[in-house]
Amino acid sequence: MDLGGRHVDNHFADILREDGLIFSSTSEMEIVREIKEHVSHVQLDPLSPTNYHRSYELPDGNVINIGNQTYRCAETLFNSNLPHEYGIQQLVDQSIKECIEISKLFPEDGDIPPLDILLVGGSTKMPGLEKRLAKELTKLKTPFRNVIGANDRSNYTWLQGATIAPHLESMNLTWMTRSEVNIFLFGKTKGGKSTLCNVLSGTEDYEEGNLSKSTTTNHQLGKNYNVDELELFLMDTIGFGDTGIDPKELIKKTAAAILDFNGGINVFIFVYESCFGKVERDALDMLKDTLFADQAIINHILIVRTKFEDFDDPSACDADIAALNGIEHFAPYHQCPVAHVDNRTYKIDPGGAARAQSRVIILNHIRQRFIHSSYNPNLDQLMHRVDSWKTVEERLEDQRQETLRLEMEVRLREEEANMRLEQQRLEALVREKEERQRQLEDIKRNLGQYIKSSVALESTKAHVDQLQDKIVKEIADLGGNPFLRAVFKNLDQKKV
Ligand SMILES: Nc1nc2c(ncn2[C@@H]2O[C@H](COP(=O)(O)OP(=O)(O)OP(=O)(O)O)[C@@H](O)[C@H]2O)c(=O)[nH]1
Ligand SMILES: [Mg+2]
């Protein structure tokens, strides 16, 4: 029986409408799922009146109040007045009774003891489920002992599988393996990603938008589908282009979608319509350079051109690929296979024949090229790259700041050099002044000595004059010797 979390979400969205709370698009259904995880529970007796209210803050900050829908949503699991035929209690009852019937085929093994029922899987985490299931099974007189919630229920199946995996060889069992294909769809908004998800899954789980606004505007959770012996894990994403979403936010949301993959990604399906231009190239570059910084990613990209009316005409497809190879923006991705589809709406193509054909085309590509290997991103490095990623504007601003910083540095260096020159000039002036000072001191000193010498000379001269006068007088006293008079006369002349 296909009954689980998605049914609870859908029923929850239906009954929230009673309070005027409308959630319908793919992204809004994610919000419903989150509300369910936070506020829902399973009532032991859904008919007993309760006055139950829980509040929940929506991503836009609005707080909503939810009444009995918090437990009514889980009633879909028990088929209380709901459209499907069985509830989980009937399924469990049937399984246990079948086990007992089978055990009767092996009487030598004795009767099987009363069974414990172990709840596993994310949808079983709603508080109160164990007790309610036990109550319903008792009503059905199911032979069981306890209903137990497994630890780590979301991963329990895988964990248990992992514990027996090492013994498989010795158990000599032949196991059938299902081919799991992890698919990440991305591309420009309104290109047809969600439609392709519907086509591949054969469902209408994804909201196909109108052509005037972006539809998938929030991070999606991947979903599993069994399709033609393949187990597809599909991840629809927010479109690039005119989504009005901040590019940084978009990169973060795209990275968050990648983090949801358990294990590798087999194929990145890049969806585009009509022409391959710069937006398309930027979106692929974002994957190759920004998120993974790895050329090898090219081996895991399938390019899908949607809305291609002649998709069933091989020569038209070949001609389109030839034209694509002539486009400069496409050059880095020319090795990637290109598929053409036309997922016409049911209005145009009520039988969905074109969609069915598209599915075969894409699955063939997947089988031929992508099923056997997957790309395992290094998630730590991915987050690091996302955190340090900058928009073109931010990068330009960084460059502008760097240029300003360099200009400032050059100016400072020039000023420093000028100051050094000025200082050197000042030092030279000081040195010259000191030199002049020294010279002046020398001159003063010499002048002093000169003055002293002059004074000495004057006094010597005065002394000589006195001596001369004295001599003259003494000579005059000596009388009138003609020879001496001539000498005196001569001396007088010299004196003059
Ligand atoms: N004729 C035709 N219409 C298509 C095809 N693929 C998508 N459409 C239509 O194109 C519109 C947009 O398709 P979506 O699947 O919502 O596009 P998207 O890429 O998910 O858009 P966002 O979620 O806004 O990013 C819808 O009206 C689809 O019905 C196609 O191959 N052929
Ligand atoms: Mg979409």
Side-chain angles (χ1 to χ4, degrees):
M1 184 175 64
D2 179 19
L3 181 58
R6 192 150 45 87
H7 298 88
V8 177
D9 296 348
N10 291 341
H11 182 50
F12 197 15
D14 283 346
I15 56 180
L16 283 174
R17 283 170 185 261
E18 295 165 8
D19 289 347
L21 298 166
I22 313 289
F23 297 93
S24 57
S25 69
T26 321
S27 54
E28 287 165 348
M29 287 308 293
E30 284 308 316
I31 298 173
V32 171
R33 190 186 56 77
E34 277 179 23
I35 303 174
K36 177 194 75 178
E37 284 179 2
H38 285 89
V39 306
S40 72
H41 70 279
V42 182
Q43 190 89 335
L44 193 57
D45 179 2
L47 298 177
S48 71
T50 47
N51 192 12
Y52 198 84
H53 279 279
R54 291 287 300 271
S55 57
Y56 182 82
E57 186 177 338
L58 295 172
D60 63 4
N62 283 324
V63 176
I64 55 170
N65 273 313
I66 307 170
N68 59 18
Q69 291 97 330
T70 50
Y71 62 86
R72 280 169 56 211
C73 65
E75 290 308 308
T76 192
L77 295 175
F78 296 100
N79 183 33
S80 311
N81 306 320
L82 289 161
H84 38 262
E85 215 177 322
Y86 292 109
I88 50 171
Q89 70 276 33
Q90 279 97 356
L91 178 74
V92 174
D93 177 65
Q94 200 181 325
S95 305
I96 292 181
K97 285 175 181 163
E98 278 172 12
C99 281
I100 293 170
E101 285 306 307
I102 292 170
S103 76
K104 286 180 186 161
L105 300 174
F106 304 96
E108 65 277 12
D109 291 344
D111 289 342
I112 54 171
L115 295 173
D116 283 335
I117 298 158
L118 190 67
L119 299 180
V120 300
S123 324
T124 66
K125 288 199 290 190
M126 270 186 284
L129 183 64
E130 289 95 324
K131 281 191 182 157
R132 173 69 183 284
L133 182 59
K135 184 181 162 193
E136 297 292 337
L137 292 173
T138 309
K139 273 198 235 164
L140 292 173
K141 300 196 179 19
T142 310
F144 77 101
R145 195 170 58 177
N146 284 314
V147 179
I148 305 162
N151 290 331
D152 195 3
R153 300 178 199 196
S154 307
N155 301 317
Y156 194 84
T157 325
W158 303 110
L159 292 172
Q160 295 310 305
T163 58
I164 60 164
H167 309 296
L168 294 184
E169 229 169 292
S170 58
M171 286 161 80
N172 196 19
L173 290 173
T174 311
W175 290 79
M176 272 206 20
T177 52
R178 257 187 316 198
S179 294
E180 291 175 9
V181 188
N182 288 340
I183 303 176
F184 182 92
L185 283 104
F186 71 116
K188 194 175 163 181
T189 185
K190 292 171 269 178
K193 300 179 293 299
S194 300
T195 307
L196 189 56
C197 285
N198 281 338
V199 169
L200 289 175
S201 62
T203 67
E204 293 184 29
D205 286 355
Y206 300 83
E207 192 189 0
E208 298 180 18
N210 60 41
L211 293 172
S212 61
K213 72 171 184 66
S214 310
T215 308
T216 312
T217 50
N218 219 330
H219 166 49
Q220 305 287 298
L221 282 185
K223 292 180 186 155
N224 284 298
Y225 301 94
N226 284 315
V227 178
D228 294 354
E229 291 173 15
L230 294 176
E231 186 169 305
L232 304 184
F233 179 76
L234 289 180
M235 175 72 75
D236 189 12
T237 57
I238 306 160
F240 286 78
D242 51 350
T243 47
I245 298 174
D246 170 50
K248 196 161 197 142
E249 203 50 31
L250 190 59
I251 299 263
K252 277 190 178 164
K253 287 184 170 180
T254 310
I258 290 165
L259 295 184
D260 272 358
F261 280 85
N262 259 333
I265 300 171
N266 293 78
V267 54
F268 295 84
I269 295 188
F270 176 68
V271 176
Y272 84 103
E273 61 169 306
S274 62
C275 73
F276 191 101
K278 186 172 179 312
V279 176
E280 284 71 21
R281 157 86 187 256
D282 285 350
L284 281 165
D285 284 354
M286 183 273 307
L287 190 76
K288 174 167 69 72
D289 303 329
T290 310
L291 291 177
F292 300 120
D294 186 358
Q295 198 67 15
I297 192 74
I298 287 183
N299 300 326
H300 298 271
I301 296 175
L302 169 64
I303 294 179
V304 175
R305 178 167 179 183
T306 56
K307 310 183 191 182
F308 192 72
E309 285 183 9
D310 295 331
F311 76 105
D312 50 357
D313 173 357
S315 59
C317 297
D318 286 349
D320 186 62
I321 293 172
L324 197 55
N325 280 321
I327 295 173
E328 199 190 324
H329 286 307
F330 185 68
Y333 301 98
H334 73 277
Q335 296 158 252
C336 303
V338 180
H340 294 80
V341 295
D342 190 6
N343 298 321
R344 295 163 195 161
T345 57
Y346 287 107
K347 224 176 183 175
I348 305 172
D349 178 19
R355 288 189 175 213
Q357 229 173 319
S358 298
R359 175 150 61 144
V360 171
I361 292 171
I362 303 295
L363 292 183
N364 278 347
H365 273 281
I366 288 174
R367 282 199 178 90
Q368 278 168 18
R369 189 118 174 201
F370 301 105
I371 205 166
H372 302 296
S373 71
S374 63
Y375 186 77
N376 286 286
N378 179 323
L379 299 180
D380 288 342
Q381 285 178 9
L382 171 77
M383 289 326 290
H384 176 71
R385 275 191 293 271
V386 168
D387 286 343
S388 53
W389 183 82
K390 295 199 164 152
T391 60
V392 175
E393 289 77 24
E394 284 172 332
R395 270 177 278 156
L396 282 176
E397 179 57 22
D398 280 358
Q399 276 173 12
R400 204 179 66 82
Q401 292 293 346
E402 180 63 8
T403 311
L404 283 178
R405 195 187 63 74
L406 287 174
E407 279 173 8
M408 181 71 85
E409 205 173 291
V410 169
R411 255 206 311 279
L412 276 174
R413 287 219 180 110
E414 277 173 7
E415 277 171 18
E416 264 174 33
N418 285 343
M419 274 171 65
R420 256 198 313 277
L421 275 178
E422 189 66 13
Q423 187 156 355
Q424 282 167 1
R425 212 170 59 80
L426 273 174
E427 282 170 4
L429 278 176
V430 168
R431 274 199 305 277
E432 195 180 326
K433 187 183 152 210
E434 285 170 356
E435 182 62 21
R436 294 260 164 90
Q437 192 87 30
R438 238 186 339 270
Q439 285 174 359
L440 193 65
E441 293 299 323
D442 284 352
I443 289 170
K444 274 188 189 164
R445 210 169 29 253
N446 289 343
L447 194 63
Q449 279 171 357
Y450 174 74
I451 290 167
K452 269 190 214 155
S453 310
S454 300
V455 170
L457 189 65
E458 278 305 312
S459 79
T460 308
K461 202 173 155 219
H463 191 62
V464 169
D465 284 350
Q466 278 175 5
L467 276 177
Q468 189 181 339
D469 289 348
K470 191 177 164 196
I471 290 169
V472 168
K473 199 170 167 242
E474 282 174 1
I475 289 171
D477 289 348
L478 282 177
N481 185 324
F483 175 70
L484 285 175
R485 260 200 307 275
V487 170
F488 290 151
K489 196 176 176 187
N490 200 15
L491 276 173
D492 278 346
Q493 279 169 352
K494 278 186 184 167
K495 195 175 162 187
V496 171

